[in-house]
Amino acid sequence: MKMTVADVMTGKVVSVTPATPFKEIAEALIAGGISAVPVVDDEQRVVGVVSEADLLRKEEFRELFYREGYQPPLRARLRRPKGRQKAAGDTAAELMTSPAISVSPEASAVSAARLMDAHDVKRLAVVDRDGRLQGIVSRRDLVKLFLRPDEEIAAEVRDEILDQKLWVETSGVRVEVRQGIVTLSGWMDRRTETGIAVRMTSRVNGVVDVVDRLTWKTDDSTWQAR
């Protein structure tokens, strides 16, 4: 079973409106123990995100403007035009990063992880088809996938991968899971089948690694090379 964003996301979300003042945003972050809040309009559609980094621009650029001889970090200098604009902001609308990177609740957890990596963000707003806020999924939420019990992972590999999806003889395959590492041993009819079994097992949620100790009766890998 593939985990979806809905399976791991946080459904109770602290949000702000475009008109929310700077200090109220800061208070929401501190009170909620969170690092960012989505900004929603009157219909709960996500229009942006305000993070701790957005708020800290004000202090960062205060130093830039008023401290004699201060030289900001290279990253700050590269983003100075946008940084100055956010540093002058007093409301969520002026501080937020927009558009927000979002994902559907039905999307796979893997696709959410790839989206975070592609955009270099730590969290995604989860929205329905109309763009309305449904929750937040963070890197921490995705890491929880690796906390699945070994017994649960082993059962999925046996029941769904070996018994249902491969459509080949798998009675000779043994599955052992320890600390999320799956060891496949025993035999299968063909060498190419063992490779497929390993690849499909590696995609199971919670699998840290797959150790391939499978043998085969027929080496059909050379057939495909001809």
Side-chain angles (χ1 to χ4, degrees):
M1 179 185 69
K2 282 191 175 295
M3 288 277 189
T4 66
V5 170
D7 294 323
V8 296
M9 73 180 190
T10 300
K12 294 182 179 180
V13 183
V14 177
S15 62
V16 299
T17 70
T20 302
F22 182 105
K23 285 195 173 182
E24 287 188 19
I25 299 171
E27 289 169 355
L29 294 178
I30 294 172
I34 52 180
S35 58
V37 287
V39 183
V40 298
D41 63 17
D42 293 339
E43 296 183 350
Q44 288 297 297
R45 291 189 176 91
V46 178
V47 295
V49 174
V50 178
S51 68
E52 292 173 327
D54 293 323
L55 299 186
L56 289 174
R57 299 279 175 85
K58 188 174 289 291
E59 193 62 31
E60 174 184 337
F61 281 84
R62 188 197 313 277
E63 287 290 304
L64 173 62
F65 295 147
Y66 298 117
R67 179 178 164 188
E68 184 177 354
Y70 174 74
Q71 178 73 0
L74 175 60
R75 182 180 298 179
R77 297 200 301 274
L78 291 175
R79 68 174 183 237
R80 185 176 296 179
K82 183 181 290 186
R84 284 183 176 178
Q85 180 180 352
K86 290 194 176 187
D90 296 321
T91 65
E94 298 166 333
L95 296 161
M96 69 184 185
T97 298
S98 181
I101 307 302
S102 62
V103 68
S104 163
E106 292 80 26
S108 69
V110 172
S111 65
R114 289 175 177 170
L115 193 58
M116 287 183 195
D117 182 63
H119 292 275
D120 193 25
V121 295
K122 298 179 180 179
R123 68 202 65 79
L124 300 171
V126 184
V127 299
D128 63 15
R129 294 181 180 180
D130 296 319
R132 293 187 177 89
L133 182 65
Q134 303 295 301
I136 290 288
V137 62
S138 67
R139 288 178 179 175
R140 179 175 297 180
D141 294 325
L142 297 178
V143 168
K144 292 176 184 177
L145 292 175
F146 292 103
L147 300 181
R148 291 185 73 189
D150 290 343
E151 297 79 7
E152 187 176 312
I153 295 172
E156 181 173 343
V157 173
R158 290 191 194 98
D159 299 341
E160 298 193 26
I161 303 299
L162 298 179
D163 293 346
Q164 297 182 34
K165 294 183 178 179
L166 282 180
W167 290 76
V168 296
E169 176 60 51
T170 59
S171 61
V173 179
R174 295 186 297 276
V175 180
E176 297 179 10
V177 184
R178 185 173 183 180
Q179 294 294 312
I181 300 176
V182 181
T183 300
L184 298 178
S185 58
W187 59 270
M188 297 182 73
D189 285 333
R190 298 184 178 185
R191 183 175 184 175
T192 54
E193 294 171 356
T194 67
I196 295 172
V198 170
R199 287 195 297 273
M200 294 183 71
T201 297
S202 68
R203 296 169 186 163
V204 171
N205 289 308
V207 171
V208 176
D209 197 4
V210 181
V211 178
D212 179 8
R213 293 180 179 167
L214 292 167
T215 60
W216 53 86
K217 295 181 178 180
T218 303
D219 186 355
D220 62 336
S221 60
T222 57
W223 301 356
Q224 298 180 355
R226 293 175 184 175

